[in-house]
Amino acid sequence: MCGIVGYLGEKNIKEILLEGLKELEYRGYDSAGIAVLNNGEFSNFKAVGKLINLEEKTKNFTTDGFAIGIGHTRWATHGKPTELNAHPHLGESSYVVHNGIIENYAELKKELIAEGVTFLSQTDTEVIVHQFEKNLKSAKNAFEAFEKTIKELEGAYAILLVTKEEDGTIFFAKNGSPMLVGIDSDGDKYFASSDTPLIGHCSDVSYFDDGDYGYVTKESITIFDKDGHTKQPRFQKLSTNKLSAQKDGYRFFMEKEIYEQSDVITDTLLGRLSHDEVVFEELESSLFDNINEIKFCACGTSYHSALVASYMFERYAKIKTSVEVASEFRYREPIMTKDTLFIVISQSGETADTLETLKMAKAAGLKTLVVCNVDNSSMVRLADATILTRAGVEKGVASTKAFATQVVVFWMLSLYLSKHNSTLSTEEIAQQVQLLREVPASVKVEDAMHERIKRLSKRYLHGHGFFFIGRDLFYPLALEGALKLKEISYLHAEGYPSGEMKHGPIALADPELFTIALLPEHLLYEKSKSNVEELSARDSTICAISPLEFDKADDYIQTKKQKSYMLEFFEMMVVVQLLSLEISVRLGNDVDMPRNLAKSVTVE
Ligand code: G6P
């Protein structure tokens, strides 16, 4: 996702900003830019693509003595990855960089346009700088205008703003997106959206809290809390290890990404929920007109999220669905009719088989939609419509947060279509919108749960196989749990529909066959339970995951009582991810880079 850096001092500002942005590269980006204020004059550079393009543009740029500057790597959310959409964004005499999403940007933009302001970009960010300059006209000073602006913004943000009005000051604000300030031995100030750019420059840093805003000058750091009271920076020592800083103290990227799910799902939902409906600004309202069927096509984990989607679309939106493995679909001479919406799902947007099916659907004249994590990827460029999952860069080869955000997008999209098809009432949709808001809390990893799974994992390091079983949309979750386990533990695991075990696999049942049973309270509990009892009677070793205690299980991971099976789904998703992780750790495997696997498979 996007990254921010800032600097105020007398050192080589261009190098500090560019090096800082380089340290944020691992988060993923599709354009970058810097703005520097030196001797009362601004210099601004932006480039699409890799940082080398920005370095090329700034080749002949030098500064002299004290300067202030801000920089940004952008991962497109509102508007394509173009130079105009890249940050910093300019007003008349000020520049801003921003991470997060300004939810009320459309209203603010409308008012500003009515007042004669011209917008250059399609971003939500640009409203910040224009709103600031509008407020500047009536404010006593730049800080008063900045403070007023912050109070007018809704949503999540980390913001740095510089203005000619006060050419020795950087203004900052943080709410929901991370940001910290650091100081070096000469008293120069540094900003960044994560600590890696500051390693090597600052020994002490202070992390801002949500609601903090203020300004820094050569002499001081002034911070206000959300109620406008001044507060002191809380400096702490900064680690000197860059790789561990990127992992934020977690042992593996996969672990970090499991823990991040609550935050990235919040990003997925941002701006897409009103109180009683789902809003997808990126979709034309006619997308579903004349559509009688939806065909989903994907590979790997993305295929599993498509299976989850098919249950939700049929149940809520009452539309016929089919789900295809891309490598099969492309060679089986499928029948494609124009009343079918073709949806491809891909974390990377580059998977060769999935991309090929998208081309086939386009050639057959079908409407196409991609649910993807990477803007400007091949699939995004090709599909008629795109919904970005906003999971941020996923480094662990075993996908976790990408899957979670895909399912959230599909849940939202199925409700969006339910409204279009009038298959759910306004009240029913409003209830589900409320549940969607609770997903970030349902995937928060609690220490006690993680500890329990860590302890239990030692019992599951051998055996002749694992069956993950579930019913309804817990069946694709079982498939995904089994895939996670086999990917990183190299143990044999299969996902199976609970009711299907007796039609073959139960022949394998013995104490060395491990059954991981997904037993949600609110979806077919009794039916699933009796399937597990059948296995227990044949002496299979059972690990039950459920909010309800189950006396036939050998092991039991108790999940929370939830209001809905959808929230149970998300909590159980975290449990199976952690179980795979801990088994793999105990087996001494490379969790982030499992043998024989690649993160993005761009060959057939
Ligand atoms: C590879 C990865 C999987 C991923 C699959 C599809 O096999 O190892 O984790 O699910 O590709 O990738 P996509 O980027 O299309 O979602």
Side-chain angles (χ1 to χ4, degrees), residues 299-302 345-349 351 397 399 406 487 598-599 601:
C299 301
T301 289
S302 297
I345 308 97
S346 176
Q347 187 284 126
S348 61
T351 304
V397 167
S399 179
Q406 286 169 348
E487 281 178 315
K599 184 75 193 153
V601 182

Side-chain angles (χ1 to χ4, degrees), residues 222-271:
T222 307
I223 311 176
F224 296 89
D225 68 14
K226 62 178 185 328
D227 302 316
H229 302 127
T230 51
K231 60 190 267 192
Q232 291 303 313
R234 284 189 313 264
F235 279 110
Q236 59 187 75
K237 291 281 168 226
L238 181 62
S239 132
T240 50
N241 180 331
K242 286 192 174 158
L243 189 65
S244 86
Q246 282 186 6
K247 288 186 193 157
D248 284 348
Y250 293 102
R251 295 165 294 172
F252 302 98
F253 280 108
M254 181 186 176
E255 185 179 30
K256 173 174 176 251
E257 286 157 5
I258 293 171
Y259 273 75
E260 256 171 20
Q261 291 180 116
S262 179
D263 288 343
V264 295
I265 290 173
T266 303
D267 284 346
T268 309
L269 298 174
L270 265 181

Side-chain angles (χ1 to χ4, degrees), residues 126-238:
E126 199 183 339
V127 298
I128 303 170
V129 69
H130 294 306
Q131 193 69 18
F132 166 76
E133 293 194 335
K134 170 182 160 180
N135 291 334
L136 201 53
K137 294 191 181 119
S138 55
K140 280 203 299 287
N141 53 39
F143 174 65
E144 195 182 283
F146 182 73
E147 186 176 38
K148 182 154 192 270
T149 307
I150 294 307
K151 297 205 174 342
E152 287 162 338
L153 301 179
E154 285 166 23
Y157 47 77
I159 294 169
L160 293 182
L161 183 143
V162 286
T163 176
K164 271 191 182 180
E165 293 297 313
E166 266 187 46
D167 66 4
T169 306
I170 299 180
F171 298 94
F172 64 85
K174 180 246 187 297
N175 191 39
S177 295
M179 188 154 64
L180 67 159
V181 63
I183 189 160
D184 71 12
S185 49
D186 301 319
D188 290 357
K189 319 287 187 307
Y190 299 72
F191 287 94
S193 51
S194 85
D195 43 18
T196 32
L198 306 195
I199 293 174
H201 292 292
C202 311
S203 56
D204 295 274
V205 294
S206 174
Y207 295 84
F208 294 121
D209 296 320
D210 280 342
D212 284 359
Y213 63 96
Y215 54 92
V216 303
T217 61
K218 208 169 173 178
E219 292 75 31
S220 63
I221 300 174
T222 307
I223 311 176
F224 296 89
D225 68 14
K226 62 178 185 328
D227 302 316
H229 302 127
T230 51
K231 60 190 267 192
Q232 291 303 313
R234 284 189 313 264
F235 279 110
Q236 59 187 75
K237 291 281 168 226
L238 181 62

Side-chain angles (χ1 to χ4, degrees), residues 297-305 345-355 371-374 379 394 396-400 402-403 406 480 483-484 487 594 596-602:
C297 202
C299 301
T301 289
S302 297
Y303 169 71
H304 295 156
S305 80
I345 308 97
S346 176
Q347 187 284 126
S348 61
E350 303 296 345
T351 304
D353 285 322
T354 312
L355 182 59
V371 173
C372 189
N373 194 32
V374 182
M379 288 183 219
E394 191 176 60
V397 167
S399 179
T400 51
F403 173 75
Q406 286 169 348
E480 177 57 11
L483 181 65
K484 287 302 84 130
E487 281 178 315
N596 306 339
L597 298 179
K599 184 75 193 153
S600 176
V601 182
T602 52

